[in-house]
Amino acid sequence: MERHALTFTGDGEEEPLPIPLNRVRRVRRRRGAPILEVEYTDARAELSRVFLFFVEPPPLPRTSGRSWILPTRGMQRAASAVGLRSAARALRSEIDEWVEAIRAASG
């Protein structure tokens, strides 16, 4: 967080996403997940959202031609969900601090 903006930077070559603090409309911690959600108005005055994962998100399901799920994939998804929930509990206070800091800075 900078003086007048909340700036998100990625690990790759993406451009940073600066969000002016005066455009932040809502910020919250997603219940049961280690995710910070920021709702803001963009340059066209349209409502936008950005989600910040405090841990690596689970992999997205593959969209292959098959519609059935192998038992091992189901177990992997369940394990990912349990991992996210435990990370959410562990990081709850840190995410809540970010929520409060952004709310205070955005007025």
Side-chain angles (χ1 to χ4, degrees):
M1 188 161 51
E2 298 167 354
R3 185 174 176 188
H4 297 289
L6 182 62
T7 303
F8 293 96
T9 56
D11 291 338
E13 297 177 11
E14 302 93 19
E15 290 290 320
L17 173 64
I19 300 172
L21 289 169
N22 63 350
R23 291 181 181 226
V24 172
R25 297 295 167 243
R26 184 171 129 181
V27 59
R28 68 184 183 131
R29 177 181 48 83
R30 297 294 297 207
R31 179 174 259 165
I35 300 171
L36 176 71
E37 177 185 349
V38 179
E39 213 172 80
Y40 65 98
T41 52
D42 62 15
R44 296 174 299 208
E46 294 178 3
L47 193 61
S48 296
R49 285 190 187 112
V50 65
F51 299 90
L52 175 66
F53 279 78
F54 277 69
V55 296
E56 184 175 339
L60 294 173
R62 293 186 206 165
T63 55
S64 62
R66 301 179 193 166
S67 60
W68 51 274
I69 298 174
L70 294 173
T72 55
R73 284 194 196 153
M75 288 188 295
Q76 287 173 346
R77 287 185 185 156
S80 291
V82 169
L84 278 178
R85 272 188 238 120
S86 63
R89 274 188 235 110
L91 294 167
R92 174 185 246 168
S93 62
E94 182 179 348
I95 298 170
D96 285 341
E97 287 176 21
W98 274 101
V99 169
E100 292 305 316
I102 295 168
R103 284 179 180 164
S106 64

